[in-house]
Amino acid sequence: MDVRLDISPFDVHAACGLQEALGVSFPVAQILARRGLGDPAAARAWLAAADAHDVADFDGIGVAVATILRHVSAGTRITLHGDYDVDGVCSTAILVTTLRRLGADVDWYLPGRAEDGYGLQPATVERLSARGTRLLVTVDCGITAVEEVALAVAAGMEVVVTDHHSPRADGRLPDAPIVHPTICGYPCPELCAAGVAYKLAGALLAAAGRDPLEADAELDLVALATVADLVPLVGENRRLVRAGIGALRRTARPGLRALMRVSKADPGAIDATAIGFRLAPRLNAAGRMLRADAALELLLTEDEDRATTVADELDHLNAERRHTETRIVFSAEAQVAQACADGVPAAFVLAGEEWHPGVIGIVASRIAERHHRPVVIIALDGEEGAGSGRSIPGFDLLGGLNASAAHLLRHGGHRAAAGCTIARDQVDAFRAAFVAHAEATLRPEDLVPRERVDAVVSGDELGLELADELLRLAPFGMGNPTPNLLVPGARLVDPRPMGEGKHVRFTVRAGGIQARAVAFGMPALPDGCEDGVRATFRLERNEWQGTIEPRLVLRKVMSTGEAGAVTVVGEPEDWSDAVRAHAAHAVPALPPPTAVGRDPWPGAAVAGGTPVRDRRGHGAAGTIAALVASGTGPVLVAVAATSVRAPALARLVDGVGVAGWAQLEADPALAAGHAHLVVLDPPADPALLAAVTTGCPDLMAHLAWGPDELGFSLHVHTVLHQLREPLAAVYRALRDGTSCHDALRGDDASPRDPVLAGRLLRVLAEAGLADVDVDSLQAKLLPIAGRVDLELSATHRVCVQRLGQGDRWLTSARPKAA
């Protein structure tokens, strides 16, 4: 499947400002700038993750608190109606614990997926009324239960609704006190149900005359639920998860400690990834395969032995869930293949008998990710089916269900994930309506998967220092994804199978360094990786058997740019025209020499006020590609020889201009109109850079050479200025009857540099060796008597002067250590 790189533009000047103000690396500065945090104060606040809002910002929460505390004081039965996923179980546990602290008579009801379905049901209302419930508090559900809440009130119960899901499409709300971050205007509308429960718990404690900070004992559950429920980790959620992960690492809950043991999660290293892939799946397994009560018991028990027993049960249920999921995925993929027989539709609706309703949401995620299409999976049972859907960027799944609601019994959820109940005889009609809506809504480009790029990096930046620095951006999840790093021109070599051939480990070579890498779920690397590709990675701190090292995790591999992806600026494409251009202009003398050994760019600006950014010693490909990806304007790369550099750059980066120093020296205006000038090869004298940038106030210069580029510049400088030997070769060829064009060109397979050829043509004329016609590139040798003094040629004299001065400068212009 094709992949489209999704690289957001960013302000390079702002990123450089972040580097200076916050002391971060350029890759991290890129990430912050791309995520809308280009202002140092905003970035500093975001890194601190200290967002917090007063619970009073929930409009109307006081009514809910007063209602609950009235029943606490009266000793009447309070029932918490939760949900069967991690968020529903955690939020129920938070409020159970808090109400117990306040002395309430509290119990709970967690619905079963198969028996009850999602949310508050009429039969549940009748059951709770019969068993003596007088206050019903919905947790992680209820905002769409308008009729069910009315039924509860009619049965003599009071109701408080706490939820975070989207309300009904018709806008109707339950007639009850509501605690909902969006409806109540809370400054962090992205709270999950556990976040809402945590804020409500603090308000209850405060109103009861207790310390509201007692609610912080529930932060471990808040973090667990916030990550598991895939809500955006922004604003206050970011603070809650960061604090909650710290609480998880030192939690005293026997259930959570037992869960970490069975999932082989190191308590001291718990992070969002461990929550999402180790802890949450096991808690979810209870609600998916049986009932969620076991998960709630695990969170509430204070008995170590019971915690161990329940954790083992959840681990076994999770293994069963994985087996069931694999079976359904195979069956669903067969339906996908059938649906694609006459062309790939814009969406899939897949239905099957004996598909476990607790697993279809995971299957929908797998199918949606694999085929990059919105997917609804329906588990049929009798005359009805339970559906679970997952979406892709660019498609509102809840909107798709709303558009097809005529064929559904019930539905609800989010833009990215939703559920429904459907009559068996409506499946085909729903499929047609849903697919038609997707085809009318989605554009062709929406159906091509995107690979997000957060930073373009050089090979030498892929070390442990950056891996540790990236952790400052954690916790990662929805709204703050784990950074993806693009490495241009990476060579992936020495692949070796691992994990019984399911994965592959290999070495990444880029920018003169080597780094260890692994590709999970990929038994072999794609063809051509050893020749150089563009690849995206996640960089992590890997700890194994007491060793800590950086490790790259491969995400996507894409081919490099095609030849011609760069534009040579200021030089005719035709070799002969280029020779004429250089022969027509005298070679200028270099400015007075710069003091040998002194760095003229200690972070200051060159003449004309152009800022200079020092990237010497870092990988040039990453530097150039990062500037191109910034979208801040055209990038011009200054090189010693375009004939060598342009083809090489075309294999690494796209969309840049390339200009030789000889061309820039002759016409500094070539740099005008560019936002960035990357000095890949150093000039023969630092004053040449000032000459080029003067008069370009909007230009930013980036010094990007390393030892290899310095050596190449020195070689080219010598070739272009040491004229005696090539002049003798041209003279002999002319004397032997070779045409002037061919004598100047030399070997067709590796033609002489047109800069040198033009200079040789000038020396022939100036030294009286030949009668030269530059326009026609013809030369007629003149009779000479004795040895010719090349000092008669101004071009030769200047080249000798430039050769020595440039040699001294380039020999001393060592790049700073990376």
Side-chain angles (χ1 to χ4, degrees):
M1 180 179 291
D2 293 334
V3 177
R4 205 156 45 106
L5 285 180
D6 187 359
I7 310 180
S8 301
F10 73 97
D11 187 332
V12 175
H13 291 273
C16 292
L18 290 174
Q19 281 189 271
E20 183 176 352
L22 304 180
V24 298
S25 65
F26 190 61
V28 168
Q30 288 183 62
I31 296 168
L32 292 171
R34 280 196 168 95
R35 297 187 179 182
L37 298 164
D39 176 70
R44 188 177 287 109
W46 186 84
L47 289 171
D51 276 14
H53 306 288
D54 196 304
V55 70
D57 290 335
F58 274 100
D59 185 29
I61 195 173
V63 178
V65 169
T67 301
I68 294 172
L69 290 182
R70 179 159 36 82
H71 283 271
V72 172
S73 298
T76 51
R77 172 63 57 85
I78 301 173
T79 298
L80 303 173
H81 185 294
D83 191 19
Y84 38 65
D85 66 359
V86 173
D87 192 20
V89 170
C90 287
S91 49
T92 302
I94 290 169
L95 289 181
V96 167
T97 302
T98 301
L99 290 173
R100 283 177 174 174
R101 281 196 185 111
L102 297 175
D105 178 6
V106 59
D107 65 4
W108 62 83
Y109 184 85
L110 299 182
R113 286 179 188 263
E115 310 95 295
D116 304 300
Y118 172 77
L120 183 62
Q121 301 296 327
T124 304
V125 171
E126 294 175 6
R127 189 179 302 119
L128 295 179
S129 176
R131 78 184 197 187
T133 295
R134 290 297 169 262
L135 173 63
L136 174 61
V137 180
T138 69
V139 183
D140 196 24
C141 63
I143 201 62
T144 62
V146 175
E147 292 79 9
E148 291 80 3
V149 168
L151 182 62
V153 173
M157 288 185 272
E158 285 193 271
V159 180
V160 171
V161 174
T162 77
D163 200 357
H164 73 120
H165 292 94
S166 300
R168 287 168 34 155
D170 61 12
R172 292 183 64 194
L173 297 173
D175 186 12
I178 294 173
V179 184
H180 187 292
T182 302
I183 293 170
C184 297
Y186 190 69
C188 181
E190 298 88 2
L191 286 178
C192 69
V196 174
Y198 163 76
K199 302 299 287 192
L200 177 59
L204 288 169
L205 290 165
R210 300 181 62 153
D211 185 353
L213 294 181
E214 288 183 48
D216 285 355
E218 315 304 324
L219 282 173
D220 51 359
L221 300 185
V222 175
L224 189 56
T226 303
V227 173
D229 214 50
L230 302 180
V231 294
L233 300 187
V234 298
E236 191 170 14
N237 275 346
R238 179 169 165 77
R239 178 185 69 83
L240 292 173
V241 172
R242 181 175 283 185
I245 286 176
L248 261 175
R249 291 173 177 174
R250 57 180 183 273
T251 185
R253 296 179 198 269
L256 287 180
R257 292 202 304 269
L259 192 65
M260 292 177 196
R261 284 196 298 272
V262 299
S263 63
K264 296 180 174 58
D266 178 2
I270 289 292
D271 58 10
T273 299
I275 291 173
F277 290 94
R278 293 184 181 273
L279 305 185
R282 287 166 172 80
L283 286 174
N284 263 329
R288 292 187 185 281
M289 306 305 294
L290 295 173
R291 295 189 67 93
D293 298 85
L296 181 58
E297 181 186 2
L298 184 72
L299 300 182
L300 293 176
T301 186
E302 297 181 0
D303 184 283
E304 296 280 357
D305 292 337
R306 182 59 184 160
T308 298
T309 300
V310 175
D312 286 339
E313 291 175 359
L314 295 184
D315 192 46
H316 290 309
L317 283 175
N318 191 53
E320 181 183 344
R321 185 269 305 168
R322 289 199 301 267
H323 175 75
T324 303
E325 173 194 329
T326 300
R327 179 177 57 82
I328 298 175
V329 166
F330 279 128
S331 181
E333 284 288 5
Q335 292 190 24
V336 168
Q338 185 176 1
C340 296
D342 298 320
V344 183
F348 296 113
V349 175
L350 313 172
E353 304 281 355
E354 298 182 357
W355 286 3
H356 198 296
V359 178
I360 55 176
I362 304 176
V363 175
S365 294
R366 299 283 187 268
I367 303 295
E369 181 179 3
R370 186 174 300 171
H371 298 281
H372 200 69
R373 298 290 191 276
V375 177
V376 177
I377 304 286
I378 300 172
L380 294 172
D381 183 12
E383 295 306 310
E384 291 188 359
S388 185
R390 297 295 184 270
S391 193
I392 60 174
F395 185 76
D396 183 347
L397 183 60
L398 182 58
L401 295 185
N402 288 339
S404 313
H407 308 291
L408 300 173
L409 297 175
R410 291 181 298 278
H411 70 281
H414 303 287
R415 180 182 182 87
C420 63
T421 305
I422 186 172
R424 176 186 289 269
D425 60 6
Q426 290 294 304
V427 170
D428 290 340
F430 168 66
R431 179 185 291 112
F434 184 77
V435 172
H437 176 76
E439 289 177 343
T441 303
L442 289 164
R443 302 166 299 172
E445 56 266 34
D446 294 329
L447 299 175
V448 178
R450 299 177 180 178
E451 176 67 1
R452 187 194 73 257
V453 173
D454 297 291
V456 181
V457 300
S458 301
D460 67 288
E461 293 171 313
L462 299 173
L464 190 59
E465 184 176 352
L466 178 58
D468 287 341
E469 190 182 0
L470 289 173
L471 294 177
R472 293 182 63 188
L473 309 180
F476 300 119
M478 290 293 291
N480 183 40
T482 303
N484 271 354
L485 309 178
L486 175 65
V487 182
R491 296 175 58 218
L492 315 185
V493 300
D494 193 23
R496 300 183 182 185
M498 58 181 285
E500 298 179 348
K502 297 178 182 178
H503 320 295
V504 61
R505 65 175 182 265
F506 56 97
T507 298
V508 177
R509 293 178 182 167
I513 63 94
Q514 294 190 155
R516 294 189 181 184
V518 62
F520 293 113
M522 186 183 294
L525 294 174
D527 292 338
C529 285
E530 66 279 0
D531 298 325
V533 293
R534 289 180 296 177
T536 54
F537 298 92
R538 290 178 180 171
L539 177 62
E540 62 185 24
R541 176 189 176 94
N542 185 45
E543 300 186 27
W544 177 251
Q545 295 182 341
T547 300
I548 301 175
E549 63 179 7
R551 182 174 71 173
L552 292 166
V553 180
L554 182 65
R555 293 276 302 156
K556 299 292 182 183
V557 174
M558 293 137 287
S559 61
T560 57
E562 300 295 332
V566 302
T567 302
V568 177
V569 176
E571 185 165 331
E573 292 185 13
D574 181 76
W575 182 87
S576 299
D577 289 340
V579 173
R580 291 186 186 96
H582 291 292
H585 298 287
V587 182
L590 287 175
T594 301
V596 173
R598 181 174 64 84
D599 186 352
W601 298 299
V606 300
T610 299
V612 172
R613 176 168 165 255
D614 196 348
R615 292 281 296 172
R616 288 175 286 178
H618 293 281
T623 298
I624 298 168
L627 295 173
V628 173
S630 75
T632 50
V635 177
L636 182 65
V637 182
V639 300
T642 58
S643 59
V644 175
R645 291 303 195 195
L649 285 170
R651 293 191 294 271
L652 300 176
V653 294
D654 298 324
V656 298
V658 181
W661 277 113
Q663 289 76 31
L664 288 168
E665 184 180 5
D667 185 8
L670 293 174
H674 293 85
H676 303 282
L677 176 68
V678 179
V679 185
L680 176 59
D681 299 321
D685 190 276
L688 295 181
L689 178 58
V692 170
T693 57
T694 298
C696 300
D698 298 326
L699 187 69
M700 187 176 190
H702 308 261
L703 312 182
W705 69 81
D708 290 344
E709 291 78 18
L710 183 61
F712 179 70
S713 278
L714 185 58
H715 168 73
V716 171
H717 178 73
T718 302
V719 168
L720 296 183
H721 293 87
Q722 207 169 55
L723 306 185
R724 184 175 295 275
E725 185 176 332
L727 182 67
V730 170
Y731 185 86
R732 285 194 299 268
L734 290 173
R735 187 184 59 193
D736 293 341
T738 305
S739 70
C740 181
H741 174 279
D742 291 347
L744 289 171
R745 186 175 177 87
D747 184 0
D748 267 342
S750 179
R752 187 173 279 117
D753 190 293
V755 175
L756 176 59
R759 292 176 179 177
L760 296 177
L761 201 58
R762 290 184 64 87
V763 174
L764 284 171
E766 293 171 355
L769 293 170
D771 185 10
V772 173
D773 185 340
V774 173
D775 292 337
S776 63
L777 283 190
Q778 292 184 0
K780 181 181 178 182
L781 291 181
L782 298 174
I784 57 174
R787 188 178 180 87
V788 175
D789 184 3
L790 291 183
E791 288 299 306
L792 296 173
S793 167
T795 298
H796 184 267
R797 292 196 305 271
V798 170
C799 283
V800 170
Q801 175 262 330
R802 289 174 61 108
L803 178 64
Q805 186 171 326
D807 182 78
R808 286 190 295 274
W809 156 248
L810 291 171
T811 302
S812 66
R814 299 299 176 195
K816 296 167 69 174

